[in-house]
Structure formats: C-alpha cells, structure tokens
Amino acid sequence: MLSDHQHQNPVDIFVIGGGVNGCGIARDAAGRGLNVALAEQGDLAQATSSASTKLFHGGLRYLEYFEFRLVREALKEREVLLSAMPHISWPMRFVLPYHRDMRFESETPTSKLLSFVMPWMKGRRPAWLIRMGLFMYDHLGKRKLLPGTSTLDLTQDPAGKPLNPKFHKAYEYSDGWVQDARLVVLNARDAEARGAKIMVRTKVVSAAREGDLWHIVTEGPHGHADHYAKALVNAGGPWVDQVLRGTIGIDSREGIRLVRGSHIVTRKLFDHDKCYFFQGEDGRIIFAIPYEQDFTLIGTTDQDHKGPPSQAECTPEEQDYLCAFASKYFAKPVTRDDIVWTYSGVRPLYDDGASSATAATRDYVLSLNDAGGAPVLNVFGGKITTYRRLSEHALEKLAPFFPGLKEAWTAGVSLPGGAFKPQETTQVTADLARDYPFLGAAWTQRMMRHYGLDAREILGAAKSAADLGRDFGATLSEAEVIWLMDKEWARSAEDVIWRRTKLGLRLSAEQVATLESFMRHRLSDGAETTRRDMTS
Ligand SMILES: Cc1cc2nc3c(=O)[nH]c(=O)nc-3n(C[C@H](O)[C@H](O)[C@H](O)COP(=O)(O)OP(=O)(O)OC[C@H]3O[C@@H](n4cnc5c(N)ncnc54)[C@H](O)[C@@H]3O)c2cc1C
C-alpha cells in the first residue's frame, strides 16, 4: 500500500534515458505544461547521441532501400532544425565523386531491381541512377535554406585537389551538420527551463505499476529515491529492451539490433569546408568531414555488436577499413599514423529481421503498453535528425492519458542560445568578435558554435582572457567550466572535454588531470551543481 504522502505528487511523465530522444521528449512534454522528470544513468548524451556522424540528413543511401517515409520526414525536418539552432548546426555541401566501379550493396531493393533489368551492370551504380536519387533528394523535402544539387568538374574545382586525379566528376548536394552532444544538453536545458527535473548520474533500477501510477526507484549520487509517475517513457537507446524486460519486467517480443558504428579523426586532410561522400566497391558509403577547425572526421562502419552497449570501441580492423576506404579517394593515403582519436557508438535499431547490419531499418517505432493500467511508451530506433518529430509522435501517443494536452509547439522554437536566424550567423559572430576582441577568430568561432548567444553570458564583462579566470588550455577558461557545471550538468573532465566541447582533441593528459581536480574540488565545496543534485 502506498501512503498518501507518496501519492501526493506524482509527475505526469517520467523519462528513462538522457539521450537525444529522452531529452527531446522531456522538452516537448514540459512545454505542453506536463510535469516531467528525467533520469540519466551517466552523463547526458553519454551513449549513442554523442557518437553519431552528426548529420542532419535525409539519408541519401536509404533511398536505395525505398525508405521513402523516413527520408521525406528527415529531409523536411533538416530546415526546421537548422532554423531552431543556427549556432550548433549549419548547412554543409557534400561532394560525391563519381567513378564507374562504384557498386551497390547486393541486397538493396534497388540493386536487386537493377540486376534484373540491367544484368550487364554487375552491381555497379550507374551515374544516371545517382543523379535520379539526388533529384529525389532535392525534391522529397521542402528546401528554402539549402541549395540543390550541382555537378562539379573535379579537374578544376578546389574540391578535386586533395583527391586521386582519376576522379574527374562529382555531384554536390546539401545536408546539415549538428553538434550532437550539445543538441542533447540544450534540449535538457530547455526542458528544465520549462519545469522539468533533470537528474544525471541517476540510474532507474526498477519500475512497477501500482494502481494508476508507476513507482520508479532510482539510484543516484545520494542513494535510492522513490518517484511516482502517471506515465513512463523508456528512451534507453541501446538499453531499451534491457529496461523493458529487466527494469520494468514486461514480457515483450519487441527487440533491437545493436549495430556498432565507428569513426576515426585525423589531422585536417583538406583545406575547404565541404564534406566528401565516398562510395565503396563493397556497396557501403563513408563520409570525410571537416571537423573542429583542424581535423577530419571519417566514418562510419556498420557491424553487428555483440557485447554490452557501453563497450563499443573502434577496433584496429575498423580503423584499417576506414583508412583503406578513404585512401581509395584521397591522393595521399590515409594511415593509422594520421589518426588522433576514434569513437564508436551503438545504433539501437528496431529489429525488423533484416539480414545485414547495413540493411536494418533506420526508422523508429514507438510502442505503447497500457495493458496493466499506467502506460509505458518504448522508443526503438530513431535518428538524431528525427528526434523532434519522434518526440511529437511520442506525445501524440500519450495524449489520450492527458486530456486537454496542449498542441505540438517545438517547430520554430529555438533552443537556448539560438534565437537568431541562420542567415544572421555571420553578423552574430562578427558582433561577438567585435565585443570580445581578445578571443581571436578560432576562439570566437568555437564559442559561437557551442553556445551561440549564450557565449555572452559566459564571457560577461571580460576585457581579456585573464578576466575569465583560470586557463585550462586550448581556450578552456574557468568561466566556461563553471558555466558547464552550473547550467549544463557537467560533473567530470570527461563530460567537459568530450561532450560539452571537443577540447579533448587538444588538451594534454596533464591539462585534463588539472581540470578534473578543479571540478572535484568545486563539487566537494558544495557549489551550485551539488545543490541542484541535492534537490533531485
Ligand atoms: C555510428 C552512428 C552514426 C550515426 N549517425 C547519425 C547521423 O549522422 N544523423 C542522425 O540523424 N542519426 C545518426 N545516428 C543515429 C543516432 O545517433 C541515434 O539514433 C540516437 O542518438 C539515439 O538516441 P537515443 O536517445 O535513443 O539513445 P542514446 O543516446 O543511447 O540514449 C539512451 C540513454 O539512456 C540511458 N539509460 C539506459 N538505461 C538507463 C537506466 N536504467 N536509467 C537511466 N538511464 C538509462 C543511457 O545511459 C543513454 O544515455 C548515428 C548512430 C550511430 C551509432
């Protein structure tokens, strides 16, 4: 039996998981006036949502699988998202060099059709088919911000310069880039600003129905806590089925397929701001993307993942595969010696019985279970690009349990720091550089692309770098670290250098150790962050 006190204040929705989907749903629900709590077992975006290729994209290659619904929704969504967060996302042009040896993955519906009607192609991707795919890509979703496809002469265009001279021709098309981990934390901040309670380092250890409510037990920095909720959302990403069957104890046949994707980061391999879309002779594709001003990001792989989701890493074989793949295109071979960092994540794909990891659907499935009273909504799959639409659909599914629920609202509402138009980015950046001349160009751009208008709150009245307090190296100041601890739930150096920023690419082990010790001291001194934890 529950005491009256325990039933007094159930939240409306309790979200398990602080990835892009959990935080997106929490923000949407809080903005509709619902009382929301979210628990993340580690750091926000610590799992798949910081390990993506970081593209707001329709997924050109999914056209070969006839995934038209997913591609259309994602294409339409690109511009909605680019407009809502012009600081952490921006348009990118993708250069797709053409060569007649490029092949399809043999089991796509398109390749099967083509091998039936044009068997002499022997699995090759003809140029007209790529052009047709790009034509559909240009027209399936509405485009206002993003320019359409064009053809490039690689013998003349600067994009041809770093490539093997055997490539003469390329297509160029548009997609978007997003700082994936920052997207998650900004959704969490906006959710909190709208009343949600965000708890990090807080694992949901059990959830059980008690009458019309869920009784949820968490294990956090201050031990066990009980929570009550009218509805539960399981946005556990790669753990979704573990949470469903283990933590909640629901016997379900629904499952996920864990598909690992790894990336390598090298020192800058080319000097322009376009990305490359490389097609392999094995039918797969990889991207080579300008990254964090001085680096190139190359990925991804597609491998069924057998171990626990938390143990994903880019294996030596995957590193060799990515180097060899990219070396087929670049004039200068890419070798393991060029690699400065690798990362790996696990896609939680809905198990649709596809025979290969590459072919498994990237679409999402929301399954509602209200068999025993209070509802639980399980989130399977989903892309960074579709997180906002997924959140709207999640609220649609839960609406019957919350009569009078407000309408969908997130399209067109900016995330914290992003209240300006994409077309104003150059001006907003120039204004920041003018008001804080000591930053210089690279630091200004980093502040803009991480914090947008909030950069001014971090920098305050500073007239010089020294006014920002301690210098942790690579332009990371005490003022920024304190902001990340107080406003963005950063608790460890790792949170700061790999998720709130990517300064781990530049800081030495010694500098990271100094940062860690500074943060530990500040937490144990009972600063703002600790007080926020205490109220959780
Ligand atoms: C290699 C790769 C490349 C990708 N590239 C792109 C791309 O370019 N564009 C794109 O749109 N999408 C891309 N994706 C897809 C996208 O990254 C994911 O679909 C998305 O991040 C999934 O988010 P999520 O919130 O569902 O899962 P996650 O981010 O994994 O979040 C789930 C969270 O739940 C927490 N959790 C689990 N169990 C518990 C518990 N019991 N208590 C508390 N917390 C718990 C976990 O700690 C985790 O943080 C890519 C994915 C991969 C792997």
Side-chain angles (χ1 to χ4, degrees):
M1 271 301 279
L2 297 174
S3 70
D4 283 350
H5 173 72
Q6 283 170 317
H7 269 162
Q8 246 169 22
N9 280 319
V11 294
D12 292 317
I13 296 183
F14 191 101
V15 181
I16 305 175
V20 74
N21 290 324
C23 292
I25 292 169
R27 175 192 186 221
D28 192 329
R32 297 186 201 220
L34 295 179
N35 196 351
V36 179
L38 178 147
E40 163 54 52
Q41 63 186 350
D43 182 27
L44 297 171
Q46 70 160 12
T48 319
S49 297
S50 60
S52 80
T53 312
K54 308 170 202 314
L55 303 181
F56 277 155
H57 65 158
L60 185 56
R61 75 177 192 82
Y62 309 142
L63 286 176
E64 283 182 13
Y65 293 90
F66 298 163
E67 294 240 29
F68 297 118
R69 194 211 71 79
L70 171 68
V71 177
R72 183 184 292 112
E73 178 171 282
L75 282 174
K76 280 210 237 153
E77 189 62 7
R78 287 179 313 184
E79 296 208 2
V80 176
L81 298 173
L82 288 168
S83 300
M85 52 196 92
H87 47 339
I88 60 160
S89 71
W90 51 89
M92 286 252 206
R93 294 291 280 170
F94 287 74
V95 175
L96 190 159
Y98 181 71
H99 195 266
R100 61 189 300 277
D101 288 340
M102 286 149 188
R103 282 166 204 277
F104 285 111
E105 209 224 344
S106 57
E107 46 178 294
T108 74
T110 310
S111 65
K112 284 183 188 152
L113 186 67
L114 208 74
S115 64
F116 181 68
V117 291
M118 295 171 73
W120 60 91
M121 289 300 290
K122 296 199 167 73
R124 286 195 288 268
R125 276 189 181 109
W128 61 263
L129 194 75
I130 295 178
R131 193 72 191 81
M132 192 173 91
L134 287 166
F135 178 83
M136 286 172 74
Y137 207 69
D138 273 351
H139 292 91
L140 268 177
K142 294 190 190 102
R143 273 184 308 109
K144 283 198 200 118
L145 284 172
L146 298 171
T149 299
S150 56
T151 306
L152 291 188
D153 174 358
L154 291 178
T155 62
Q156 303 298 319
D157 195 277
K161 216 170 142 208
L163 298 182
N164 184 318
K166 79 173 184 186
F167 296 103
H168 297 163
K169 178 178 167 181
Y171 300 107
E172 190 183 288
Y173 71 95
S174 292
D175 258 325
W177 170 265
V178 62
Q179 316 262 56
D180 54 4
R182 293 217 48 82
L183 171 68
V184 177
V185 81
L186 293 187
N187 270 278
R189 275 183 53 200
D190 204 42
E192 187 186 59
R194 295 170 196 277
K197 182 155 111 181
I198 308 289
M199 296 168 278
V200 295
R201 265 88 184 176
T202 303
K203 181 174 179 165
V204 173
V205 290
S206 72
R209 287 184 172 111
E210 287 182 8
D212 291 343
L213 295 179
W214 281 98
H215 174 195
I216 302 130
V217 181
T218 57
E219 180 75 51
H222 307 288
H224 270 68
D226 295 287
H227 314 259
Y228 292 87
K230 293 179 191 156
L232 190 63
V233 171
N234 170 10
W239 290 266
V240 63
D241 55 350
Q242 251 166 269
V243 170
L244 177 61
R245 282 186 269 276
T247 316
I248 309 179
I250 290 181
D251 187 22
S252 160
R253 282 216 228 119
E254 287 172 308
I256 47 164
R257 179 170 185 165
L258 296 182
V259 176
R260 188 173 70 244
S262 298
H263 292 81
I264 56 173
V265 176
T266 66
R267 294 212 178 284
K268 200 168 174 167
L269 299 176
F270 50 90
D271 240 344
H272 55 77
D273 60 0
K274 293 177 184 172
C275 309
Y276 291 104
F277 178 113
F278 295 151
Q279 305 175 78
E281 286 159 20
D282 60 354
R284 293 200 61 259
I285 64 112
I286 60 164
F287 296 99
I289 303 172
Y291 189 53
E292 293 289 323
Q293 302 187 34
D294 298 317
F295 303 90
T296 301
L297 174 65
I298 300 175
T300 170
T301 56
D302 263 315
Q303 298 262 304
D304 277 314
H305 183 76
K306 302 287 176 228
S310 54
Q311 280 171 22
E313 61 177 53
C314 181
T315 62
E317 293 74 33
E318 287 177 295
Q319 295 182 29
D320 288 343
Y321 171 82
L322 291 171
C323 288
F325 200 141
S327 298
K328 290 219 160 82
Y329 281 85
F330 286 116
K332 189 168 167 288
V334 183
T335 70
R336 274 216 222 164
D337 288 343
D338 295 312
I339 299 176
V340 294
W341 184 50
T342 65
Y343 67 86
S344 194
V346 182
R347 302 176 182 88
L349 304 182
Y350 187 69
D351 196 352
D352 61 353
S355 55
S356 90
T358 311
T361 182
R362 264 56 177 171
D363 213 344
Y364 58 81
V365 172
L366 299 175
S367 95
L368 186 79
N369 175 313
D370 61 346
V376 53
L377 185 73
N378 298 292
V379 177
F380 296 94
K383 304 207 39 88
I384 297 270
T385 315
T386 48
Y387 90 94
R388 195 197 63 82
R389 289 289 291 141
L390 181 152
S391 304
E392 279 183 352
H393 285 149
L395 269 292
E396 258 169 47
K397 291 245 181 198
L398 291 169
F401 303 94
F402 298 100
L405 184 68
K406 289 190 194 141
E407 296 287 299
W409 63 277
T410 51
V413 178
S414 56
L415 285 175
F420 58 94
K421 295 198 175 73
Q423 301 84 330
E424 294 165 353
T425 307
T426 311
Q427 189 55 52
V428 175
T429 311
D431 292 347
L432 190 69
R434 183 200 57 220
D435 296 344
Y436 298 94
F438 65 89
L439 294 177
W443 193 356
T444 305
Q445 192 187 69
R446 185 175 78 75
M447 294 305 281
M448 255 313 288
R449 291 186 160 181
H450 284 66
Y451 308 105
L453 298 173
D454 284 344
R456 289 175 177 276
E457 282 201 40
I458 298 171
L459 297 166
K463 296 275 175 262
S464 69
D467 293 340
L468 296 172
R470 215 161 148 171
D471 173 10
F472 291 100
T475 71
L476 183 65
S477 68
E478 185 173 339
E480 186 174 347
V481 174
I482 288 174
W483 166 277
L484 294 175
M485 294 181 78
D486 290 353
K487 308 266 174 151
E488 298 196 355
W489 298 275
R491 298 288 183 271
S492 72
E494 179 125 334
D495 303 349
V496 170
I497 66 169
W498 292 122
R499 287 177 287 275
R500 305 306 180 277
T501 73
K502 288 288 183 282
L503 290 172
L505 288 168
R506 299 170 194 274
L507 292 170
S508 68
E510 206 183 321
Q511 288 170 318
V512 175
T514 309
L515 173 65
E516 185 72 57
S517 127
F518 170 83
M519 291 178 73
R520 280 227 186 105
H521 275 105
R522 189 161 188 275
L523 285 170
S524 60
D525 281 351
E528 165 63 19
T529 39
T530 333
R531 280 204 299 280
R532 188 149 71 172
D533 278 348
M534 297 293 277
T535 59
S536 299

